[in-house]
Amino acid sequence: MREISCKLLVVGGGPAGYVCAIRAGQLGLDTVLVEEAALGGTCLTVGCIPSKALIHVAAEYERVARLSETAVAGVRCHGATLDLGAAMAWKDGIVQQLSTGVAALLRKAGVQVVHGAARLRDGKSADVETAGGPVSIRAETLVIATGSEPVALAALPFGGDILSSSGALALTELPYSLAVVGGGYIGLELGMAFARMGSRVTVIEAGERVLPGWDAELTAPVVRALGRIGVTVHTKARAEGYAAGVLRIRRGDSTEEIAAQKVLVTAGRRPRATGAGLDRLDLAMAGPFLRIDAACRTSMQGVYAIGDVTGEPMLAHRAMAQGEMVAELVAGTRRHWDHRAIPAVCFTDPEIVSVGLSPAEAAARGPIRSAVFPFQANGKALTEDRDEGFVRVTADAAAGEILGIQAVGAGVADFAGEFALAIEMGATLEDIAATIHAHPTRGEVFHEASLRSLGRALHL
């Protein structure tokens, strides 16, 4: 058995793990990263990146198909076609390029990558089954970055025509009908993409409305968009079973049957907190997640945990921030990060982004001032024929410090960095009002929402 000793052992090569390993290597720490599958984890290989590639394909196809039917701004074309197999191959090329890039970055940082399934013996050592035989690793410090996986439903186990999000991203033929069980952001992102490519999509949501994690004002434009592209939505409904191309759902005391060639189950994700020998470690739990403190330390000395295995929000950028911080802490640097400034983005069409507190959350803490500015009053949005949505700013009533920013509209995901920066730096409404935003851009709406909060909007 080959034996390796190192300063830092990272188990898991997703956004949390590979970023932690790269930063540790940059800081001169002798680092080993263990990953069983492709580098990049769920986000890069079967999540964030491939889903956004598919969303782009759907948007391009719908745009051309729309122009085939009706001229827009004097532009018309003919003959829109979609080859889903070719689109998936293009998507796979992007994934491969990025995963190869992660491997190159790890090599550049001097990180030793061990490909195989890790099994922890204790908080300092692990055995890894590799293609070349077993490897034993001994480390001074352990970082657990084992990620998460899709949740299956007892009535709808994955397999065959019942798909997880990963399965949906591997289809090479467009289903003529698709039932999406779960109206959260994953379900709606993929459901809307398939609807825009031509599938007949039905969404089944157990709650009172889709996107229950976002407030109704933000989600209203998305709900309208679902209707425009022909998506049928059943709320207060639960899936009870699937057979012979028919999904059975229950709403109250009645049952209904929905024809569906494929069923996509997006009932959430669960942490991988029990495999890889984690049961051998005496780790405190927070529900199904590994319990950590503000520095990502677990209940065992010398053992850190980062990413989805540590709880909500299960976001790649949160995982990356944790990974970078932990690497610097292990290297002896004092570090912390601002939990208030973690953007949440929903890549539906229109997109939704939120950073900080909602108006209701902020009002629960004290007096606020809040204002909305619509894209309908923005020149750039009008010239792009995409004027749905708004930007909303909420601030402390007395000091004017910005507490939360939300937006819904075309391309607003790209605002997430500016919104997060404003909250992280403690910006006030006056700071944003005094910041010159280029004209004509969509970003002017953030400026105008801040002005409106101050009672002096210029273009409304």
Side-chain angles (χ1 to χ4, degrees):
M1 177 181 291
R2 185 160 66 99
E3 297 185 353
I4 299 173
S5 295
C6 60
K7 171 69 175 179
L8 181 66
L9 169 60
V10 182
V11 177
Y18 83 71
V19 167
C20 182
I22 288 172
R23 184 62 185 132
Q26 291 173 342
L27 293 167
L29 299 178
D30 181 16
T31 303
V32 173
L33 172 68
V34 178
E35 172 55 53
E36 181 177 7
L39 291 170
T42 294
C43 177
L44 195 158
T45 60
V46 291
C48 315
I49 297 301
S51 67
K52 304 314 168 281
L54 186 66
I55 289 168
H56 171 72
V57 168
E60 290 295 287
Y61 174 71
E62 184 193 43
R63 181 174 64 87
V64 176
R66 177 188 176 197
L67 291 173
S68 297
E69 297 176 354
T70 306
V72 176
V75 178
R76 187 163 187 166
C77 64
H78 299 280
T81 62
L82 172 67
D83 183 338
L84 187 60
M88 289 298 184
W90 171 76
K91 174 264 294 181
D92 291 342
I94 294 171
V95 170
Q96 180 60 43
Q97 178 183 345
L98 291 174
S99 184
T100 301
V102 170
L105 292 170
L106 288 162
R107 286 195 300 270
K108 181 181 177 181
V111 176
Q112 182 175 355
V113 178
V114 177
H115 291 282
R119 184 160 184 81
L120 295 166
R121 293 201 305 269
D122 51 45
K124 300 290 184 182
S125 57
D127 295 325
V128 184
E129 289 297 329
T130 75
V135 176
S136 176
I137 304 172
R138 181 77 181 174
E140 295 180 26
T141 302
L142 170 67
V143 176
I144 300 166
T146 47
S148 63
E149 59 191 7
V151 172
L153 299 177
L156 298 171
F158 294 134
D161 292 330
I162 301 176
L163 310 172
S164 67
S165 55
S166 301
L169 290 167
L171 292 174
T172 56
E173 293 185 3
L174 189 71
Y176 57 81
S177 57
L178 176 70
V180 180
V181 179
Y185 73 94
I186 296 175
L188 289 198
E189 286 180 4
L190 293 177
M192 292 185 83
F194 277 99
R196 296 170 81 185
M197 290 188 290
S199 296
R200 186 174 70 250
V201 175
T202 303
V203 175
I204 296 91
E205 166 58 38
E208 295 186 355
R209 58 185 181 87
V210 295
L211 297 175
W214 310 75
D215 67 69
E217 185 179 25
L218 274 177
T219 61
V222 177
V223 172
R224 290 193 293 269
L226 288 168
R228 284 198 302 271
I229 63 176
V231 175
T232 301
V233 177
H234 296 286
T235 56
K236 300 181 183 178
R238 294 186 179 276
E240 293 195 330
Y242 177 77
V246 175
L247 178 70
R248 189 176 68 257
I249 68 170
R250 175 173 293 277
R251 290 200 288 181
D253 295 329
S254 64
T255 60
E256 300 178 35
E257 292 186 341
I258 297 170
Q261 184 186 3
K262 302 287 184 183
V263 177
L264 169 59
V265 177
T266 58
R269 298 186 65 84
R270 63 186 174 203
R272 295 191 181 106
T274 56
L278 288 169
D279 54 314
R280 298 184 180 184
L281 278 60
D282 186 20
L283 296 171
M285 306 295 290
F289 303 102
L290 299 184
R291 192 180 74 195
I292 57 171
D293 64 11
C296 294
R297 291 180 293 241
T298 69
S299 55
M300 289 183 66
Q301 187 173 359
V303 179
Y304 293 80
I306 54 179
D308 286 2
V309 75
T310 65
E312 298 287 356
M314 290 186 179
L315 299 171
H317 41 281
R318 169 184 178 263
M320 291 177 177
Q322 288 178 318
E324 184 180 5
M325 177 186 70
V326 166
E328 297 191 2
L329 289 172
V330 174
T333 303
R334 294 185 63 185
R335 268 294 308 273
H336 73 281
W337 56 296
D338 194 337
H339 294 242
R340 300 176 306 157
I342 303 175
V345 182
C346 182
F347 289 92
T348 46
D349 184 19
E351 296 172 344
I352 304 174
V353 61
S354 178
V355 186
L357 303 178
S358 69
E361 291 168 335
R365 301 186 179 192
I368 62 168
R369 57 177 75 185
S370 184
V372 166
F373 195 90
F375 282 109
Q376 290 176 337
N378 175 256
K380 188 65 159 56
L382 291 168
T383 62
E384 294 175 341
D385 194 31
R386 292 299 305 272
D387 63 353
E388 74 278 8
F390 57 84
V391 173
R392 183 177 69 197
V393 179
T394 302
D396 173 73
E401 181 181 354
I402 295 176
L403 304 175
I405 313 165
Q406 290 82 36
V408 56
V412 297
D414 292 333
F415 293 4
E418 183 179 5
F419 292 172
L421 176 62
I423 292 178
E424 195 279 334
M425 69 179 287
T428 65
L429 293 171
E430 290 287 359
D431 289 325
I432 305 305
T435 300
I436 297 173
H437 284 68
H439 176 77
T441 64
R442 287 179 170 270
E444 292 176 276
V445 176
F446 181 30
H447 179 245
E448 288 281 4
S450 299
L451 286 172
R452 195 176 189 192
S453 293
L454 293 166
R456 55 177 200 261
L458 294 172
H459 292 93
L460 192 68

